[in-house]
Amino acid sequence: MEVINTTISEEDIAFDKEHLWHPYTSLTQPLPVYPVESAEGVRIHLTDGRTLIDGMASWWSVIHGYNHPKLNQAVVNQTQKMAHVMFGGLTHQPAIDLGKKLVNLTPKGLEAVFLCDSGSISVEVAMKMAIQYQHALGKQNRSKFLTLKKGYHGDTSGAMSVCDPVSGMHHLFRDFMPQHFFMEAPERGFEETLAAGEIEDIEMFFELHAKNAAAFILEPIVQGAGGMRFYAPQYLKEIRRLCSMHGLLLIADEIATGFGRTGKLFAVEHADILPDILCVGKALTGGYMTLAATICTRNVADTICNGEAGVIMHGPTFMGNPLACAVANASLDLLQHSNWQQNITSIEVVLKTELSKAKAYPLVKDVRVLGAIGVIETTVPVNVQETQAFLVNRGVWIRPFRNLLYIMPSYAMCKEDLEHVCRMMVEVVQQEHCFNKV
Ligand code: PMP
């Protein structure tokens, strides 16, 4: 593809600095942002002519790569029919097709699909479903949620209230947010088993708090933005067992892990459990548009509909947006017709081989890989600005946070590109200026 270099004017960059919030940034001390001209495959083209191999897949979402002809075509085709139409009292083929695909792809038993705007909103909807479910059963006291420390579920207020209480800035919003119950974050890694005492600790947590709770919400297997931690499937099995025993619903937030990222189509499959409610987003549209879904079992749906309200109490303006549904359908078709499992296994092998080389350096605390997720945890916080400048000069795009350098590339990334990204990450851990002194 021909790359046409245009430059965004100095004036426009100044406007951006002064007027546009970027995620988690200051308007008084803005960090540099790199102007992008276009992107295709796994490459991002900057306006200054530099090209970057993208290790982030735009925060887990662009699983097939940028500017994909099939996804582009799906957008064009749908735009020619209708970009949007309200979902209240109307329906359309893209939403019906997407509903069918989600019911078929997600673990058997998840049948009722709520299409919503973003990952955070899908978590809000899941929490509201759980409250409505308990209310319908006459359990009005069950208004709390159980969750894990070091979790992340989004930035809207309900979702934020179940994010890690320390990194989630609970103290700042203390008087505004509802208080929920946080279990210690899982300590056992993906391949480990729990000791008897650890299972008793989980049981004790349920004994103490379950009676007031509507549901347990967690990110299965991978705690993402809360620390890029991978944990043992046995936790999921135990939590599933205890939720059923104590009358709680289990909400699996697969917004980051869904659609193959961990090597299974959904991370709950590692533990062979069925959640009552599943949240998906991010990769759903191949990163083309914001769209998410909250999918629950027939039992949850029926109970809600037999309750006081008789309906689900949510219905946003852009619910089931046809353009987003059409591109999601095209993205799921691509995924299903690709060798995604083989691709992810190949990515995992490269990540393990290349990133393990970082272990030789004193700033590195841990290296871990699961599916198409590779993490280098360092002993001190990464200086994001210095690291990005270093990597951009070497043709790589990643966005570290705290003491984590991590990648979750497009499933379409070839071995050579992936090796380059990994090698540059290993270069970073040898650069003292890329880290903050503590
Ligand atoms: N849950 C998880 C596990 C996530 O990783 C994210 C986004 N990083 C969200 C929820 C929120 O999704 P969104 O940013 O689309 O609102």
Side-chain angles (χ1 to χ4, degrees):
M1 186 194 163
E2 191 191 355
V3 181
I4 304 156
N5 291 330
T6 60
T7 43
I8 299 181
S9 68
E10 295 282 317
E11 205 186 334
D12 281 350
I13 295 289
F15 180 90
D16 183 300
K17 265 195 172 142
E18 211 174 316
H19 295 279
L20 298 186
W21 299 106
H22 287 258
Y24 292 95
T25 52
S26 159
L27 273 192
T28 52
Q29 288 177 305
L31 292 174
V33 287
Y34 296 90
V36 175
E37 181 58 33
S38 64
E40 30 97 29
V42 299
R43 285 177 164 68
I44 296 174
H45 302 292
L46 300 182
T47 53
D48 64 10
R50 287 184 291 183
T51 289
L52 312 177
I53 304 172
D54 176 25
M56 301 300 293
S58 281
W59 277 331
W60 316 71
S61 65
V62 185
I63 54 173
H64 308 296
Y66 299 98
N67 221 330
H68 194 288
K70 291 228 163 92
L71 301 184
N72 290 358
Q73 197 57 51
V75 175
V76 170
N77 292 351
Q78 185 55 41
T79 311
Q80 283 160 358
K81 289 188 182 167
M82 64 191 164
H84 184 60
V85 68
M86 65 190 282
F87 209 48
L90 299 173
T91 196
H92 48 80
Q93 198 66 49
I96 295 168
D97 290 346
L98 182 56
K100 283 187 191 168
K101 285 184 206 299
L102 288 173
V103 169
N104 284 335
L105 281 177
T106 56
K108 197 167 162 27
L110 294 166
E111 291 187 11
V113 181
F114 191 100
L115 298 170
C116 42
D117 325 43
S118 69
S120 300
I121 302 299
S122 95
V123 169
E124 299 289 335
V125 171
M127 293 173 80
K128 286 170 76 172
M129 279 180 177
I131 295 291
Q132 279 197 250
Y133 170 87
Q134 298 291 0
H135 200 279
L137 294 178
K139 309 262 168 65
Q140 278 80 347
N141 63 313
R142 285 184 172 262
S143 57
K144 296 289 175 195
F145 286 83
L146 308 189
T147 188
L148 300 174
K149 285 187 185 168
K150 302 209 161 83
Y152 177 81
H153 297 285
D155 286 354
T156 51
S157 43
M160 194 169 62
S161 71
V162 285
C163 289
D164 183 81
V166 179
S167 62
M169 296 284 220
H170 281 226
H171 66 280
L172 196 64
F173 300 100
R174 194 176 49 213
D175 296 335
F176 161 68
M177 276 196 312
Q179 308 293 307
H180 300 301
F181 299 114
F182 291 82
M183 193 172 101
E184 288 307 317
E187 283 302 329
R188 296 283 172 188
F190 181 69
E191 282 168 3
E192 292 181 277
T193 46
L194 278 74
E198 291 167 302
I199 297 174
E200 278 165 24
D201 289 346
I202 304 174
E203 287 170 343
M204 185 58 72
F205 179 78
F206 272 82
E207 287 296 330
L208 284 175
H209 304 299
K211 60 182 177 304
N212 294 319
F216 199 118
I217 178 166
L218 49 73
E219 296 154 276
I221 304 296
V222 178
Q223 293 190 294
M228 301 300 293
R229 308 170 83 250
F230 309 148
Y231 65 86
Q234 204 188 344
Y235 281 98
L236 281 183
K237 280 192 195 293
E238 291 299 332
I239 291 171
R240 172 67 278 181
R241 176 178 70 81
L242 289 161
C243 280
S244 302
M245 196 172 126
H246 288 268
L248 271 74
L249 297 181
L250 176 61
I251 303 172
D253 174 351
E254 294 238 21
I255 289 157
T257 51
F259 306 112
R261 182 58 67 181
T262 66
K264 300 272 186 194
L265 204 48
F266 295 95
V268 288
E269 293 170 28
H270 288 288
D272 200 17
I273 58 145
L274 177 68
D276 301 287
I277 305 176
L278 179 79
C279 300
V280 294
K282 287 192 186 280
L284 177 59
T285 62
Y288 262 56
M289 250 170 256
T290 177
L291 182 72
T294 312
I295 311 155
C296 67
T297 60
R298 177 63 60 192
N299 171 43
V300 171
D302 285 352
T303 308
I304 289 172
C305 299
N306 290 330
E308 184 191 310
V311 296
I312 179 89
M313 294 300 283
H314 206 87
T317 307
F318 289 104
M319 182 165 179
N321 173 256
L323 211 46
C325 291
V327 76
N329 285 325
S331 174
L332 294 180
D333 282 346
L334 274 179
L335 186 67
Q336 274 186 290
H337 295 129
S338 72
N339 247 336
W340 65 268
Q341 223 152 1
Q342 182 54 49
N343 293 348
I344 287 171
T345 307
S346 309
I347 289 173
E348 185 172 38
V349 169
V350 175
L351 291 175
K352 282 187 173 156
T353 310
E354 294 300 325
L355 295 183
S356 65
K357 295 175 186 163
K359 286 182 185 160
Y361 300 98
L363 282 174
V364 174
K365 186 173 165 196
D366 188 31
V367 173
R368 45 187 183 267
V369 170
L370 181 68
I373 313 169
V375 184
I376 301 178
E377 184 175 342
T378 53
T379 55
V380 287
V382 183
N383 182 319
V384 176
Q385 200 173 336
E386 289 284 329
T387 300
Q388 285 194 324
F390 181 86
L391 288 173
V392 166
N393 282 333
R394 287 157 183 79
V396 168
W397 179 250
I398 66 166
R399 186 166 172 84
F401 69 99
R402 300 210 296 264
N403 55 345
L404 298 160
L405 287 158
Y406 69 104
I407 55 168
M408 56 276 177
S410 153
Y411 305 164
M413 190 177 282
C414 70
K415 187 166 184 264
E416 291 68 35
D417 285 345
L418 188 57
E419 282 172 348
H420 180 71
V421 175
C422 291
R423 284 173 191 160
M424 291 307 109
M425 288 168 74
V426 177
E427 288 276 317
V428 170
V429 300
Q430 300 168 56
Q431 313 298 318
E432 282 197 10
H433 72 277
C434 289
F435 295 88
N436 296 330
K437 304 262 178 314
V438 277

